[in-house]
Amino acid sequence: MKAIIQRVTGASVKVGEETISSIGQGLCVLIGIGRYDTEKELEYMARKILNIRVFDGEDGKRWNKSVMDKQLEVLCVSQFTLSAVLKGNKPDFHEAMGPETSEKAYQDFLQLMRNSYNTDKIKDGKFGAYMQVHIQNDGPVTIPLDSPDNLPDHKNKKTAMVAPSVQSLSINPTVGDNSGS
């Protein structure tokens, strides 16, 4: 699973001429789900995105606060093109999760984010739609994030994901996180 995390002063998503989602200060996150990703990758990425410290503290200390610490918003946008592999000059998307399972996996990821933070602060685009994503990058700060291959209790990655239901699942930010945060 891959994400591009962008600290923003504002972001919005349009489909056609309609703005379907927008946020003020916070994070705009492009999400790419790989064909072998499982619930462990979803949990890892949600935890990292919600806890990454890219905001200044009230005391002026840099890189000290997360989106949750500051009670800011997150705009997530599904983007299968993050899984692209170039074959010559043409992108190939065989590493992306197929459309038959990726929408459920993406919705499960969003539910993890909402359960772990605040439902009203997690926004998203429109899965599968042709979107225009408008961001006002703050800094600019843009951080790529890949889920590791060696997550705890990780099943064989060669098994395609059947996304579980995560209606009641939430993330404990300190369990299994050796990031020092």
Side-chain angles (χ1 to χ4, degrees), residues 64-117:
N64 197 36
K65 297 290 182 179
S66 71
V67 71
M68 290 196 309
D69 294 333
K70 305 273 285 181
Q71 292 294 299
L72 301 174
E73 297 174 296
V74 181
L75 176 61
C76 297
V77 179
S78 176
Q79 188 170 354
F80 74 94
T81 60
L82 289 177
S83 298
V85 175
L86 287 181
K87 295 215 171 182
N89 290 325
K90 183 177 180 180
D92 178 274
F93 304 107
H94 71 277
E95 290 298 322
M97 184 176 283
E100 63 284 347
T101 53
S102 60
E103 184 171 8
K104 178 156 180 11
Y106 178 67
Q107 294 303 324
D108 286 349
F109 169 77
L110 291 173
Q111 193 61 48
L112 276 167
M113 297 278 286
R114 290 176 176 126
N115 290 348
S116 300
Y117 182 31

Side-chain angles (χ1 to χ4, degrees), residues 1-3 31-34 36-50 97 101-113 116 145 147-148 151 154 157 161-166 169-171:
M1 192 166 173
K2 297 178 184 226
I31 301 291
I33 302 174
Y36 300 123
D37 288 339
T38 67
E39 63 189 280
K40 293 294 180 188
E41 283 81 11
L42 301 180
E43 293 168 3
Y44 174 87
M45 295 299 265
R47 184 178 67 250
K48 286 295 190 181
I49 291 165
L50 291 173
M97 184 176 283
T101 53
S102 60
E103 184 171 8
K104 178 156 180 11
Y106 178 67
Q107 294 303 324
D108 286 349
F109 169 77
L110 291 173
Q111 193 61 48
L112 276 167
M113 297 278 286
S116 300
L145 179 64
S147 59
L151 291 171
H154 197 267
K157 249 193 138 161
M161 176 179 184
V162 177
S165 174
V166 293
L169 186 59
S170 65
I171 301 165

Side-chain angles (χ1 to χ4, degrees), residues 97-158:
M97 184 176 283
E100 63 284 347
T101 53
S102 60
E103 184 171 8
K104 178 156 180 11
Y106 178 67
Q107 294 303 324
D108 286 349
F109 169 77
L110 291 173
Q111 193 61 48
L112 276 167
M113 297 278 286
R114 290 176 176 126
N115 290 348
S116 300
Y117 182 31
N118 178 331
T119 299
D120 297 332
K121 297 211 183 265
I122 305 297
K123 311 285 178 72
D124 69 299
K126 184 173 182 182
F127 187 89
Y130 184 84
M131 297 176 273
Q132 294 79 45
V133 181
H134 301 272
I135 67 163
Q136 184 70 43
N137 200 312
D138 183 21
V141 174
T142 301
I143 298 176
L145 179 64
D146 291 317
S147 59
D149 289 335
N150 60 349
L151 291 171
D153 300 321
H154 197 267
K155 303 280 188 228
N156 181 354
K157 249 193 138 161
K158 296 299 178 191

